[in-house]
Structure formats: structure tokens, C-alpha cells
mmCIF file of all heavy atoms in Angstrom:
data_model
loop_
_atom_site.group_PDB
_atom_site.id
_atom_site.type_symbol
_atom_site.label_atom_id
_atom_site.label_comp_id
_atom_site.label_asym_id
_atom_site.label_seq_id
_atom_site.Cartn_x
_atom_site.Cartn_y
_atom_site.Cartn_z
ATOM 1 N N GLY A 23 -25.972 16.359 3.424
ATOM 2 C CA GLY A 23 -25.993 17.776 3.704
ATOM 3 C C GLY A 23 -25.530 18.149 5.104
ATOM 4 O O GLY A 23 -25.412 19.318 5.402
ATOM 5 N N LYS A 24 -25.296 17.189 5.963
ATOM 6 C CA LYS A 24 -24.833 17.487 7.310
ATOM 7 C C LYS A 24 -23.368 17.080 7.446
ATOM 8 O O LYS A 24 -23.015 16.256 8.267
ATOM 9 C CB LYS A 24 -25.707 16.743 8.332
ATOM 10 C CG LYS A 24 -27.139 17.205 8.305
ATOM 11 C CD LYS A 24 -27.967 16.534 9.367
ATOM 12 C CE LYS A 24 -29.396 17.028 9.281
ATOM 13 N NZ LYS A 24 -30.234 16.384 10.266
ATOM 14 N N GLY A 25 -22.530 17.698 6.673
ATOM 15 C CA GLY A 25 -21.101 17.400 6.729
ATOM 16 C C GLY A 25 -20.565 16.610 5.570
ATOM 17 O O GLY A 25 -19.354 16.582 5.348
ATOM 18 N N SER A 26 -21.437 15.965 4.806
ATOM 19 C CA SER A 26 -20.957 15.161 3.670
ATOM 20 C C SER A 26 -20.240 16.044 2.648
ATOM 21 O O SER A 26 -19.224 15.624 2.072
ATOM 22 C CB SER A 26 -22.097 14.391 3.030
ATOM 23 O OG SER A 26 -23.104 15.277 2.544
ATOM 24 N N ASP A 27 -20.761 17.245 2.420
ATOM 25 C CA ASP A 27 -20.124 18.126 1.448
ATOM 26 C C ASP A 27 -18.725 18.557 1.921
ATOM 27 O O ASP A 27 -17.817 18.692 1.122
ATOM 28 C CB ASP A 27 -20.994 19.360 1.167
ATOM 29 C CG ASP A 27 -21.408 20.110 2.415
ATOM 30 O OD1 ASP A 27 -21.380 19.529 3.523
ATOM 31 O OD2 ASP A 27 -21.794 21.287 2.297
ATOM 32 N N VAL A 28 -18.558 18.712 3.220
ATOM 33 C CA VAL A 28 -17.257 19.063 3.781
ATOM 34 C C VAL A 28 -16.265 17.908 3.618
ATOM 35 O O VAL A 28 -15.122 18.090 3.220
ATOM 36 C CB VAL A 28 -17.396 19.470 5.271
ATOM 37 C CG1 VAL A 28 -16.036 19.725 5.891
ATOM 38 C CG2 VAL A 28 -18.287 20.657 5.415
ATOM 39 N N VAL A 29 -16.732 16.694 3.887
ATOM 40 C CA VAL A 29 -15.867 15.500 3.739
ATOM 41 C C VAL A 29 -15.471 15.354 2.274
ATOM 42 O O VAL A 29 -14.284 15.154 1.981
ATOM 43 C CB VAL A 29 -16.581 14.223 4.220
ATOM 44 C CG1 VAL A 29 -15.744 12.986 3.913
ATOM 45 C CG2 VAL A 29 -16.868 14.291 5.726
ATOM 46 N N GLU A 30 -16.417 15.478 1.364
ATOM 47 C CA GLU A 30 -16.113 15.327 -0.063
ATOM 48 C C GLU A 30 -15.132 16.387 -0.527
ATOM 49 O O GLU A 30 -14.209 16.081 -1.281
ATOM 50 C CB GLU A 30 -17.406 15.377 -0.893
ATOM 51 C CG GLU A 30 -18.264 14.141 -0.713
ATOM 52 C CD GLU A 30 -19.559 14.203 -1.505
ATOM 53 O OE1 GLU A 30 -19.772 15.175 -2.254
ATOM 54 O OE2 GLU A 30 -20.366 13.289 -1.343
ATOM 55 N N SER A 31 -15.305 17.629 -0.097
ATOM 56 C CA SER A 31 -14.395 18.687 -0.514
ATOM 57 C C SER A 31 -12.982 18.410 0.010
ATOM 58 O O SER A 31 -11.985 18.616 -0.704
ATOM 59 C CB SER A 31 -14.856 20.046 0.037
ATOM 60 O OG SER A 31 -16.055 20.384 -0.587
ATOM 61 N N CYS A 32 -12.882 17.967 1.233
ATOM 62 C CA CYS A 32 -11.598 17.637 1.837
ATOM 63 C C CYS A 32 -10.916 16.471 1.090
ATOM 64 O O CYS A 32 -9.743 16.529 0.746
ATOM 65 C CB CYS A 32 -11.771 17.303 3.314
ATOM 66 S SG CYS A 32 -10.263 16.797 4.156
ATOM 67 N N VAL A 33 -11.711 15.421 0.817
ATOM 68 C CA VAL A 33 -11.181 14.259 0.079
ATOM 69 C C VAL A 33 -10.653 14.704 -1.281
ATOM 70 O O VAL A 33 -9.525 14.350 -1.690
ATOM 71 C CB VAL A 33 -12.263 13.157 -0.053
ATOM 72 C CG1 VAL A 33 -11.856 12.126 -1.115
ATOM 73 C CG2 VAL A 33 -12.527 12.494 1.287
ATOM 74 N N LEU A 34 -11.429 15.483 -2.024
ATOM 75 C CA LEU A 34 -10.983 15.929 -3.349
ATOM 76 C C LEU A 34 -9.742 16.796 -3.259
ATOM 77 O O LEU A 34 -8.836 16.672 -4.088
ATOM 78 C CB LEU A 34 -12.127 16.680 -4.048
ATOM 79 C CG LEU A 34 -13.280 15.810 -4.527
ATOM 80 C CD1 LEU A 34 -14.394 16.686 -5.105
ATOM 81 C CD2 LEU A 34 -12.838 14.784 -5.539
ATOM 82 N N ALA A 35 -9.668 17.686 -2.282
ATOM 83 C CA ALA A 35 -8.496 18.537 -2.127
ATOM 84 C C ALA A 35 -7.246 17.685 -1.904
ATOM 85 O O ALA A 35 -6.180 17.964 -2.480
ATOM 86 C CB ALA A 35 -8.685 19.517 -0.983
ATOM 87 N N ARG A 36 -7.373 16.648 -1.102
ATOM 88 C CA ARG A 36 -6.210 15.779 -0.839
ATOM 89 C C ARG A 36 -5.843 14.945 -2.068
ATOM 90 O O ARG A 36 -4.667 14.820 -2.395
ATOM 91 C CB ARG A 36 -6.468 14.930 0.396
ATOM 92 C CG ARG A 36 -6.500 15.810 1.641
ATOM 93 C CD ARG A 36 -6.755 15.051 2.894
ATOM 94 N NE ARG A 36 -6.831 15.999 3.992
ATOM 95 C CZ ARG A 36 -5.842 16.236 4.835
ATOM 96 N NH1 ARG A 36 -4.702 15.618 4.717
ATOM 97 N NH2 ARG A 36 -6.014 17.115 5.819
ATOM 98 N N VAL A 37 -6.823 14.374 -2.710
ATOM 99 C CA VAL A 37 -6.568 13.528 -3.887
ATOM 100 C C VAL A 37 -5.892 14.348 -4.986
ATOM 101 O O VAL A 37 -4.975 13.860 -5.654
ATOM 102 C CB VAL A 37 -7.871 12.886 -4.400
ATOM 103 C CG1 VAL A 37 -7.698 12.262 -5.772
ATOM 104 C CG2 VAL A 37 -8.382 11.857 -3.395
ATOM 105 N N LYS A 38 -6.299 15.598 -5.159
ATOM 106 C CA LYS A 38 -5.733 16.442 -6.215
ATOM 107 C C LYS A 38 -4.242 16.742 -5.975
ATOM 108 O O LYS A 38 -3.526 17.073 -6.908
ATOM 109 C CB LYS A 38 -6.498 17.748 -6.333
ATOM 110 C CG LYS A 38 -7.874 17.529 -6.959
ATOM 111 C CD LYS A 38 -8.673 18.841 -7.013
ATOM 112 C CE LYS A 38 -10.033 18.596 -7.605
ATOM 113 N NZ LYS A 38 -10.846 19.828 -7.621
ATOM 114 N N ARG A 39 -3.755 16.541 -4.747
ATOM 115 C CA ARG A 39 -2.343 16.760 -4.457
ATOM 116 C C ARG A 39 -1.506 15.501 -4.585
ATOM 117 O O ARG A 39 -0.287 15.568 -4.508
ATOM 118 C CB ARG A 39 -2.167 17.335 -3.036
ATOM 119 C CG ARG A 39 -2.730 18.736 -2.893
ATOM 120 C CD ARG A 39 -2.315 19.377 -1.573
ATOM 121 N NE ARG A 39 -2.712 18.617 -0.424
ATOM 122 C CZ ARG A 39 -3.691 18.994 0.424
ATOM 123 N NH1 ARG A 39 -4.325 20.115 0.239
ATOM 124 N NH2 ARG A 39 -3.965 18.263 1.469
ATOM 125 N N TRP A 40 -2.156 14.355 -4.733
ATOM 126 C CA TRP A 40 -1.417 13.091 -4.821
ATOM 127 C C TRP A 40 -0.635 12.986 -6.127
ATOM 128 O O TRP A 40 -0.967 13.577 -7.135
ATOM 129 C CB TRP A 40 -2.359 11.912 -4.738
ATOM 130 C CG TRP A 40 -3.036 11.722 -3.388
ATOM 131 C CD1 TRP A 40 -2.762 12.395 -2.255
ATOM 132 C CD2 TRP A 40 -4.079 10.816 -3.104
ATOM 133 N NE1 TRP A 40 -3.605 11.939 -1.238
ATOM 134 C CE2 TRP A 40 -4.400 10.972 -1.752
ATOM 135 C CE3 TRP A 40 -4.755 9.874 -3.868
ATOM 136 C CZ2 TRP A 40 -5.391 10.205 -1.140
ATOM 137 C CZ3 TRP A 40 -5.754 9.127 -3.236
ATOM 138 C CH2 TRP A 40 -6.046 9.285 -1.885
ATOM 139 N N LYS A 41 0.389 12.158 -6.091
ATOM 140 C CA LYS A 41 1.152 11.782 -7.304
ATOM 141 C C LYS A 41 1.062 10.269 -7.408
ATOM 142 O O LYS A 41 1.682 9.551 -6.630
ATOM 143 C CB LYS A 41 2.603 12.234 -7.222
ATOM 144 C CG LYS A 41 3.440 11.693 -8.337
ATOM 145 C CD LYS A 41 4.068 12.735 -9.152
ATOM 146 C CE LYS A 41 4.961 12.041 -10.157
ATOM 147 N NZ LYS A 41 5.220 12.772 -11.285
ATOM 148 N N PHE A 42 0.251 9.787 -8.288
ATOM 149 C CA PHE A 42 0.022 8.357 -8.497
ATOM 150 C C PHE A 42 1.223 7.734 -9.254
ATOM 151 O O PHE A 42 2.005 8.459 -9.871
ATOM 152 C CB PHE A 42 -1.239 8.139 -9.322
ATOM 153 C CG PHE A 42 -2.511 8.351 -8.566
ATOM 154 C CD1 PHE A 42 -2.970 9.635 -8.261
ATOM 155 C CD2 PHE A 42 -3.297 7.262 -8.186
ATOM 156 C CE1 PHE A 42 -4.152 9.826 -7.568
ATOM 157 C CE2 PHE A 42 -4.496 7.444 -7.488
ATOM 158 C CZ PHE A 42 -4.916 8.730 -7.190
ATOM 159 N N PRO A 43 1.323 6.403 -9.244
ATOM 160 C CA PRO A 43 2.354 5.750 -10.061
ATOM 161 C C PRO A 43 2.121 6.110 -11.537
ATOM 162 O O PRO A 43 0.979 6.236 -11.981
ATOM 163 C CB PRO A 43 2.104 4.269 -9.830
ATOM 164 C CG PRO A 43 1.339 4.181 -8.533
ATOM 165 C CD PRO A 43 0.525 5.453 -8.470
ATOM 166 N N ALA A 44 3.213 6.296 -12.276
ATOM 167 C CA ALA A 44 3.114 6.612 -13.695
ATOM 168 C C ALA A 44 2.400 5.479 -14.446
ATOM 169 O O ALA A 44 2.505 4.311 -14.086
ATOM 170 C CB ALA A 44 4.512 6.810 -14.280
ATOM 171 N N ASN A 45 1.613 5.858 -15.494
ATOM 172 C CA ASN A 45 0.897 4.824 -16.258
ATOM 173 C C ASN A 45 1.715 4.420 -17.464
ATOM 174 O O ASN A 45 2.692 5.055 -17.836
ATOM 175 C CB ASN A 45 -0.511 5.274 -16.602
ATOM 176 C CG ASN A 45 -0.591 6.369 -17.668
ATOM 177 O OD1 ASN A 45 0.102 6.300 -18.682
ATOM 178 N ND2 ASN A 45 -1.420 7.357 -17.435
ATOM 179 N N GLN A 46 1.268 3.377 -18.108
ATOM 180 C CA GLN A 46 1.968 2.793 -19.238
ATOM 181 C C GLN A 46 1.187 2.976 -20.526
ATOM 182 O O GLN A 46 1.095 2.049 -21.338
ATOM 183 C CB GLN A 46 2.194 1.311 -18.983
ATOM 184 C CG GLN A 46 2.832 0.957 -17.648
ATOM 185 C CD GLN A 46 4.217 1.524 -17.508
ATOM 186 O OE1 GLN A 46 5.018 1.439 -18.438
ATOM 187 N NE2 GLN A 46 4.540 2.079 -16.361
ATOM 188 N N LEU A 47 0.601 4.128 -20.771
ATOM 189 C CA LEU A 47 -0.309 4.303 -21.893
ATOM 190 C C LEU A 47 0.273 5.147 -23.019
ATOM 191 O O LEU A 47 -0.478 5.750 -23.765
ATOM 192 C CB LEU A 47 -1.623 4.917 -21.412
ATOM 193 C CG LEU A 47 -2.396 4.078 -20.387
ATOM 194 C CD1 LEU A 47 -3.631 4.819 -19.926
ATOM 195 C CD2 LEU A 47 -2.779 2.745 -20.974
ATOM 196 N N ASP A 48 1.547 5.212 -23.156
ATOM 197 C CA ASP A 48 2.167 5.927 -24.248
ATOM 198 C C ASP A 48 1.682 7.359 -24.356
ATOM 199 O O ASP A 48 1.273 7.833 -25.416
ATOM 200 C CB ASP A 48 1.957 5.204 -25.571
ATOM 201 C CG ASP A 48 2.548 3.831 -25.591
ATOM 202 O OD1 ASP A 48 3.629 3.645 -24.992
ATOM 203 O OD2 ASP A 48 1.969 2.933 -26.178
ATOM 204 N N GLY A 49 1.683 8.082 -23.257
ATOM 205 C CA GLY A 49 1.341 9.495 -23.278
ATOM 206 C C GLY A 49 -0.127 9.824 -23.106
ATOM 207 O O GLY A 49 -0.469 10.990 -23.119
#
């Protein structure tokens, strides 16, 4: 509660913008 929520929000915002390597699962 002393900044952890801010770190988590920032991490999620950055991860949501990433483009991971394409997977091999047939769609």
C-alpha cells in the first residue's frame, strides 16, 4: 500500500504495450 500499487500499475501499463515473439499455436 505504500507505492506497490503504483509500481504494479506502471508495470502493467508497460507490459500491455509490449509485442512478444509470435507463438506457434495455430491461431
Side-chain angles (χ1 to χ4, degrees):
K24 296 183 180 179
S26 59
D27 53 340
V28 175
V29 173
E30 290 178 4
S31 293
C32 178
V33 165
L34 289 175
R36 291 180 184 259
V37 168
K38 288 176 182 178
R39 292 191 303 251
W40 292 353
K41 171 122 176 156
F42 285 75
N45 72 45
Q46 309 296 317
L47 298 177
D48 299 324

